[in-house]
Amino acid sequence: MHRSTQSLLWTLLILVLHHNLPTASAEIKSLKIEADSRPVILLERFGFTRTGRVSISLNSVSVAESPNSPPPVPSRLGFFLISDEAVIQTMMESNESPDYFCVLDSQYIVSLFTFEKISPPPHASFDGTFKVEAPNEYSLFFANCNPQSSVSMAVRTEMYNLDGEVKDYLSAGQTQLPTLYFLFGTVYVAFLVGWIYICFKNKLNAHRIHALMGLLLLMKALNLLCAAEDKHYVKVTGKPHGWDVLFYIFQCIRVVLLFTVIVLIGTGWSFLKPFLQEKEKKVLMIVIPLQVVANLASVVIGETGPFIKDWAMWNQIFLLVDIICCCAILFPIIWSIRSLKETSKTDGKAARNLAKLTLFRQFYTVVIAYLYFTRIVVFALRTIAAYKYQWVSNAAEEVASLVFYCIMFHMFRPVEKNEYFVIDDEEEEVAMAALRDDDFEI
C-alpha cells in the first residue's frame, strides 16, 4: 500500500479512537499551516443541525513540490467534511483501491472545495460559506493528494448553526452547556456556604483537612462558573474572550486539590494522625506533578486543536497520566485499611477500629465507584449518545461528581461524635467478633 494511503488510514483511525476527547473551545479558529506534507489534516469537529454552515477563508496559500516531482494538481488539494460513520466506509474504500487512493474521490465525504477555486498569486486566497445539507456531527479535513508536496497557508474557519438570524457557534450537542454549568456552579456555591456553616458550628472539631475541603469546593464552583461563561461567549461570539484562561487555571487547581484531598483523607491525615509517612508523601509527590502534566496536556488539546502534528501524542499523555493518578490515589486508602487491621489485633480497641475500618472501606468503595463512573460510564455515554445529546454525558459526569462530593464531605464532616473517635465500650465484644469474622481485605 502507498505510504500516503497508510498515513491517511492512521489519521482517520485516530479520529475514530479519539473523537470523545476534548477539542478546542472556540468555533472560530485561525490556524497557520507551514510546509505541511501530511495527506490529511484534521481541523475541527462540529455537530450541525439543518441550519448548519461552514465558512472557510484562506490566505497566503502556497504549494511546494519536491525536486524532480511532478507539479501539484490543484484539484488534488481541498477541504471536506466527513462523519464518523463515513470514516469507517472510507477506510474500507481505501483498502479496496489497488493504486494510490485520494480521499477527495471518496463517495462518502462531503466535498467543500478544491484549490482550483483559489485565486492565483499574488493573492492566492479563498473565501466561501457552505451549507450543510444533512444534519450530523462532522469533522473538517484538509486533504493533499499530491505526493511529495507541502502546503503553507493561513486558515480561518467558522462552524455554526443558525437560530433564526443568530449564529450559534456551539455544536448541536453542546449548546445547552452554558446553562448546565451555571446551574451546577450555583449548587456548589450553596454547598460551600453550607460547609462553612458546619465548620464554624463545629469549629472545635474542625481540622486542617476541612479547610482544604472548603477550598476544593470553592475551586469547583469557580471552575464551573468560568466554564459557563466560556461556553456562553463561544456560543454567541465564537470566541471565549479570555474565560478559557480562567477555566484552565481553576480546572488545574481543582483537579490537583481533589486528588490531594482524596490522598490525605485516605491516609487519615488530620483525623488519625497529624503527619504523613514517607510512602504517603511520595504518593503526593507523584500525583501532584502528574496532575499538572495532565492539565498541561488538556490545555494543549483544547487550545491548539487537532490540526497540530503531535495532537494524538498529547491525547495519549492525557489518558496515561489520568490512569496513573487514579491508581495512585487508591494506595493510601488500602494502606490505611491494612494498618488499622493490624492495629486492631494489638491495641484492645476493637470497636473503635471496627468503625474506622468500616469508614475507610466505605470511602474506598465510593472512590472506586466515582472513578469508574467518570472514566468508563461517561465515556460510554459519549460514545453511544446521538451527537445532539452529547450534553447528557456532561450532565451525568457533573451529577456523579456532586454525589461523590456530598458523600465524601458527609463521611468526614467535623462533628462532635465522629465515627472515627466515639464508640461505646459495650460494643467491644461484638466488634472483636466482627473483626475476627471479617478480614477487611481489598
Side-chain angles (χ1 to χ4, degrees), residues 401-415:
S401 297
L402 181 59
V403 170
F404 173 71
Y405 277 61
C406 288
I407 294 174
M408 180 173 67
F409 278 61
H410 175 75
M411 292 174 68
F412 300 99
R413 67 196 185 279
V415 292

Side-chain angles (χ1 to χ4, degrees), residues 2 5 8 90 93-94 97 99-106 145:
H2 197 282
T5 304
L8 166 65
T90 303
E93 187 180 29
S94 64
S97 178
D99 301 318
Y100 177 72
F101 174 78
C102 179
V103 68
L104 293 173
D105 295 328
S106 173
C145 295

Side-chain angles (χ1 to χ4, degrees), residues 330 333-334 337 359-368 442:
L330 297 176
I333 310 175
I334 297 173
I337 291 175
L359 196 61
F360 270 104
R361 191 165 69 171
Q362 290 172 347
F363 182 56
Y364 176 84
T365 303
V366 169
V367 172
I368 288 289
I442 299 300

Side-chain angles (χ1 to χ4, degrees), residues 121-331:
H123 301 290
S125 61
F126 176 84
D127 191 357
T129 299
F130 307 90
K131 182 179 179 181
V132 178
E133 300 292 343
N136 205 336
E137 185 175 35
Y138 290 95
S139 297
L140 175 63
F141 276 94
F142 168 73
N144 178 6
C145 295
N146 289 281
Q148 301 180 346
S149 69
S150 60
V151 178
S152 298
M153 57 182 168
V155 185
R156 185 181 187 274
T157 62
E158 288 189 33
M159 307 176 80
Y160 56 88
N161 296 306
L162 289 175
D163 184 6
E165 298 297 324
V166 178
K167 295 180 180 179
D168 183 349
Y169 288 97
L170 280 182
S171 178
Q174 298 183 351
T175 191
Q176 301 85 357
L177 290 185
T179 302
L180 179 71
Y181 287 145
F182 179 78
L183 289 175
F184 276 99
T186 55
V187 169
Y188 278 98
V189 169
F191 195 162
L192 176 60
V193 172
W195 182 252
I196 293 173
Y197 172 77
I198 292 173
C199 289
F200 271 99
K201 185 179 179 181
N202 302 276
K203 57 184 177 182
L204 294 178
N205 300 287
H207 301 279
R208 287 173 292 173
I209 188 67
H210 294 123
L212 203 60
M213 293 165 74
L215 183 60
L216 171 60
L217 285 179
L218 176 63
M219 291 300 106
K220 179 65 175 178
L222 291 174
N223 181 218
L224 284 169
L225 293 175
C226 288
E229 287 298 305
D230 177 24
K231 293 298 182 183
H232 168 72
Y233 276 100
V234 171
K235 179 184 175 73
V236 299
T237 69
K239 291 287 186 179
H241 294 275
W243 285 99
D244 55 336
V245 177
L246 290 174
F247 166 77
Y248 288 125
I249 291 173
F250 290 125
Q251 171 84 352
C252 180
I253 298 174
R254 192 267 304 173
V255 174
V256 170
L257 270 177
L258 174 61
F259 278 80
T260 301
V261 166
I262 291 175
V263 170
L264 291 177
I265 288 178
T267 62
W269 178 77
S270 215
F271 283 109
L272 301 179
K273 54 191 179 184
F275 59 87
L276 296 177
Q277 297 177 352
E278 283 302 315
K279 62 181 180 180
E280 296 164 349
K281 292 179 181 178
K282 289 179 180 178
V283 172
L284 281 175
M285 292 173 64
I286 292 173
V287 168
I288 293 176
L290 283 179
Q291 278 302 312
V292 173
V293 173
N295 279 274
L296 175 62
S298 178
V299 172
V300 172
I301 294 170
E303 288 302 302
T304 58
F307 82 97
I308 62 171
K309 294 181 181 180
D310 296 328
W311 182 74
M313 180 195 71
W314 283 105
N315 273 323
Q316 299 296 340
I317 291 174
F318 180 85
L319 289 173
L320 177 62
V321 170
D322 190 52
I323 292 172
I324 293 174
C325 288
C326 289
C327 294
I329 63 173
L330 297 176
F331 285 107

